[in-house]
Amino acid sequence: MTLTRRDLLRTSIAVGAAGAALPVFTATANAAAPVIASCQTWGAREPRAAVEVLDRRPTYIVVHHTAGPNSGDLSLEHAYAISRSIQDHHMDNNGWIDSGQQLTNSRGGHVTEGRHRSLEALRDGTRHLMGANVGDHNSEVIGIENEGLYTSVDVPARLWNSLVGLVAYIARQYDIAPSEIRGHRDFNSTECPGGVLYGRLPELRTAVGGVLGRAVAHPQTWPLLKPGDTGDRVKAAQHLLRERGSRDLPADGVFGAATAAAVRRFGDAAGLRSDPCYASRVADESGFLGAGAWPALIRPVELSEASEAAAAARTLLRDRSLTRVESRDWRTLLNG
């Protein structure tokens, strides 16, 4: 079978069990509505209180992973069971009124409604059902929980293809630019949606842009640092943490237990929330340094200062002609 240029825009290639290349449907060119099972269909409990519908559109589409098992059960029944399990956890363990995410995507590529009335708001295209899946940003985001743990393994083809079609549909409904497709870690200090799936977000933006016929720009985001990381970014973070009170922390570029403890102390002192992967029952990400902490940790600095912040900036700086780093410059430095 020979694929034309048009075919390639509408399909992705998956390798079957026998090694043959097979075209796999991703999304129609006009981002047609995917099949989404309603709360009633998968047997959701009633919410404890009225959900909140905002009279405006969300700004971002946020990709999560459930940080649970990578099940081999790709059935529709399993997708429904995952939705019930997440809702039970959110209501019974987190004390929330309902599921936190607006939508759930199973490893089999089955999409279900998360919080009640999410599907109603999405189909309307002008209102936003506020969930509970990104700390301090829930009024801005529509979140998709993707079943599985993607810190070191890739998503299955059926989940990926479903995700592309679903995100394209959401973007069309709410007129959201591909650049506003983000991961949970772009807002909070969390691994979510896992390093592998997060690393594919540029690919997701490009795929959605192709479906919608829109230009694609990739945003610059705060890096995530966690135990086991090494290098100049870790060293810069250690200098900044030293300035914020952890004077005994060595600036050695190794993110170990002492650095994680310093991050936790800084977060407590600054009143920062810990916003881990919400679908997970086991994740401890309290010592991670990411988007939820960087803005409070950095500051404007003169490079001539005899300060820890200046030492942090000098560690990262490539352009030695600069004399001052503004707060807005740190994200660029950290991504350099």
Side-chain angles (χ1 to χ4, degrees):
M1 176 180 180
T2 301
L3 295 178
T4 66
R5 179 179 176 86
R6 179 172 294 179
D7 291 329
L8 289 171
L9 290 174
R10 292 167 57 92
T11 62
S12 64
I13 301 298
V15 178
L22 302 173
V24 178
F25 181 77
T26 54
T28 59
N30 62 351
V35 174
I36 302 175
S38 68
C39 289
Q40 182 179 9
T41 299
W42 58 261
R45 297 156 58 180
E46 288 299 314
R48 288 202 180 100
V51 297
E52 185 174 1
V53 181
L54 305 179
D55 193 23
R56 58 180 176 80
R57 297 169 173 172
T59 303
Y60 304 100
I61 302 169
V62 176
V63 176
H64 300 263
H65 69 171
T66 64
N70 292 325
S71 174
D73 188 344
L74 307 182
S75 69
L76 182 61
E77 292 74 17
H78 175 73
Y80 291 174
I82 287 294
S83 294
R84 290 191 294 269
S85 176
I86 292 173
Q87 186 190 39
D88 286 345
H89 176 60
H90 286 176
M91 294 180 72
D92 299 338
N93 293 79
N94 293 1
W96 298 347
I97 63 170
D98 197 357
S99 298
Q101 78 283 7
Q102 284 87 354
L103 299 159
T104 308
N105 186 27
S106 79
R107 284 173 59 82
H110 304 291
V111 181
T112 57
E113 182 180 28
R115 181 161 289 200
H116 284 75
R117 299 188 66 189
S118 295
L119 189 51
E120 171 194 331
L122 176 59
R123 286 172 173 165
D124 174 79
T126 63
R127 296 177 297 155
H128 172 44
L129 187 287
M130 192 162 75
N133 56 87
V134 176
D136 295 324
H137 295 276
N138 285 304
S139 64
E140 305 171 84
V141 306
I142 177 169
I144 304 166
E145 284 286 359
N146 293 278
E147 179 197 0
L149 177 65
Y150 301 111
T151 55
S152 59
V153 300
D154 204 353
V155 299
R158 287 172 64 168
L159 183 150
W160 176 258
N161 292 326
S162 175
L163 181 62
V164 172
L166 176 60
V167 172
Y169 173 65
I170 296 170
R172 188 199 72 180
Q173 286 295 99
Y174 285 131
D175 193 25
I176 296 175
S179 61
E180 308 304 359
I181 300 167
R182 306 294 179 93
H184 186 181
R185 70 166 67 177
D186 290 331
F187 300 91
N188 302 144
S189 298
T190 175
E191 173 80 11
C192 185
V196 176
L197 180 51
Y198 184 78
R200 294 190 69 181
L201 291 189
E203 182 184 351
L204 179 61
R205 295 184 195 105
T206 299
V208 170
V211 171
L212 300 176
R214 297 187 63 167
V216 177
H218 300 291
Q220 191 173 71
T221 58
W222 293 105
L224 176 71
L225 301 180
K226 60 186 189 297
D229 289 342
T230 60
D232 284 347
R233 289 194 295 191
V234 174
K235 186 175 181 179
Q238 290 166 331
H239 279 298
L240 291 167
L241 289 164
R242 284 171 57 86
E243 180 168 276
R244 299 294 184 169
S246 294
R247 300 296 303 177
D248 58 345
L249 177 67
D252 58 5
V254 178
F255 199 125
T259 302
V263 171
R264 284 191 288 269
R265 287 195 300 272
F266 168 71
D268 290 342
L272 303 179
R273 290 175 39 167
S274 177
D275 292 295
C277 185
Y278 289 109
S280 173
R281 294 159 173 75
V282 297
D284 179 11
E285 300 176 331
S286 58
F288 288 15
L289 176 56
W294 282 114
L297 188 59
I298 55 93
R299 67 171 176 84
V301 60
E302 297 287 345
L303 294 175
S304 59
E305 289 179 21
S307 68
E308 294 288 349
R314 289 193 294 267
T315 297
L316 299 167
L317 201 58
R318 301 293 180 264
D319 183 355
R320 298 299 177 181
S321 67
L322 295 179
T323 60
R324 180 177 172 83
V325 173
E326 303 292 347
S327 293
R328 64 177 178 271
D329 300 326
W330 279 98
R331 188 154 39 186
T332 300
L333 283 181
L334 287 162
N335 281 285

